[in-house]
Amino acid sequence: MELTQVVPWGRSFDEYCRMFRLTEADHTRTILGCGDGPAAFQATARALGWSVVSCDPIYRHPPDAIRQRIAATRTEILGQITARREQYVWDEIRDVAHLEAVRMSAMESFLADYEAGYGTPRYRDAELPQLPFAADAFELAVCSHLLFLYSTQLDRATHLAAIAELLRVAAEVRIFPLIALDGTMSPHLAAVLEWAQSQSVDATIVPVDYHFQRGADAMLRLQRRG
Ligand SMILES: C[S@@+](CC[C@H](N)C(=O)[O-])C[C@H]1O[C@@H](n2cnc3c(N)ncnc32)[C@H](O)[C@@H]1O
């Protein structure tokens, strides 16, 4: 994947914990962060002694290239969010300037850690729907702001293949959010729930204590039975 196809925008470890209801007890689990991009999940998790592997196709690019892409797209992203201000809940994140500070801080943490971790197994260049991991390599896989959100770019078949692949490498998968970019429920959610039922996979929509995009207040938890 070329970096010009990606608009890098990364969230913090604290946001991941709230999106996925992760707690201190999860620090002993082996976790895959799929599509982590420039998020600080890996950087902070490592500092806290958690066992996380992050994968994303942007990890084939060196730190300087990602840093430059973040700098090149930052103003454009903030402009788009400003134009769609009413689609967000401005509470904990007070305004666009505060959002910029929170996101840049997370991406600076990522970049500092990525300088050391580039090319190591912590940051794997990998792309759904095919991952370079053994079956059950992880206990839990989390996927933030990729599946369901990009419902137009990733069609239903890709969603089903991606989720089957995540459930191959981890017995439990959590996905947030369930809405698409336009703020409506993803058109692929019903198909995923139907597929799960046919595959001996327990699927539960779980409310979460993370509210930024309006309508994004729950994650999907999928667990292989048996
Ligand atoms: C909006 S960003 C979210 C980054 C991070 N998960 C977060 O929430 O802060 C979406 C990420 O998905 C990655 N991505 C795009 N297509 C992917 C695929 N097929 N498999 C895995 N990651 C992908 C992009 O490179 C980008 O880093």
Side-chain angles (χ1 to χ4, degrees):
M1 179 185 276
E2 294 304 317
L3 265 184
T4 47
Q5 295 171 263
V6 179
V7 183
W9 204 231
R11 288 159 192 83
S12 68
F13 178 81
D14 173 64
E15 289 180 285
Y16 264 67
C17 287
R18 287 185 294 134
M19 285 186 276
F20 297 118
R21 295 182 68 145
L22 299 174
T23 67
E24 180 53 33
D26 290 304
H27 89 278
T28 55
R29 303 176 84 186
T30 48
I31 302 177
L32 172 67
C34 187
D36 275 352
F41 182 50
Q42 165 72 229
T44 309
R46 178 164 193 254
L48 294 172
W50 291 41
S51 173
V52 173
V53 169
S54 293
C55 73
D56 195 297
I58 68 165
Y59 300 153
R60 74 194 57 164
H61 301 283
D64 272 355
I66 297 182
R67 183 182 290 281
Q68 282 164 24
R69 183 69 187 151
I70 290 170
T73 53
R74 167 184 182 170
T75 308
E76 180 193 328
I77 299 173
L78 289 165
Q80 287 169 4
I81 291 172
T82 304
R84 294 187 274 114
R85 235 191 250 105
E86 72 291 346
Q87 291 184 13
Y88 299 89
V89 179
W90 301 102
D91 178 6
E92 203 164 314
I93 295 181
R94 295 184 299 276
D95 51 31
V96 174
H98 187 207
L99 175 68
E100 179 175 23
V102 169
R103 290 284 172 273
M104 291 314 294
S105 163
M107 289 192 284
E108 283 302 335
S109 294
F110 158 76
L111 285 167
D113 187 55
Y114 190 60
E115 294 276 349
Y118 172 56
T120 72
R122 289 196 296 121
Y123 287 104
R124 290 291 296 270
D125 166 15
E127 192 165 349
L128 287 168
Q130 269 191 315
L131 299 176
F133 304 113
D136 285 315
F138 305 94
E139 291 167 89
L140 170 67
V142 297
C143 184
S144 154
H145 292 84
L146 172 60
L147 294 173
F148 297 130
L149 187 65
Y150 291 95
S151 282
T152 308
Q153 293 81 350
L154 305 173
D155 64 14
R156 186 171 65 171
T158 305
H159 271 74
L160 294 177
I163 289 170
E165 177 69 346
L166 287 167
L167 280 164
R168 181 185 68 80
V169 302
E172 179 179 351
V173 173
R174 300 182 191 178
I175 303 169
F176 180 92
L178 307 182
I179 60 168
L181 279 173
D182 65 3
T184 63
M185 198 52 76
S186 165
H188 307 314
L189 180 60
V192 169
L193 294 176
E194 205 174 296
W195 171 87
Q197 222 174 15
S198 72
Q199 298 291 317
S200 301
V201 170
D202 288 325
T204 321
I205 292 175
V206 184
V208 299
D209 179 27
Y210 177 77
H211 305 121
F212 184 50
Q213 248 178 307
R214 286 195 190 281
D217 51 12
M219 67 160 162
L220 179 63
R221 175 189 276 154
L222 299 155
Q223 286 169 296
R224 268 189 347 238
R225 257 177 251 148

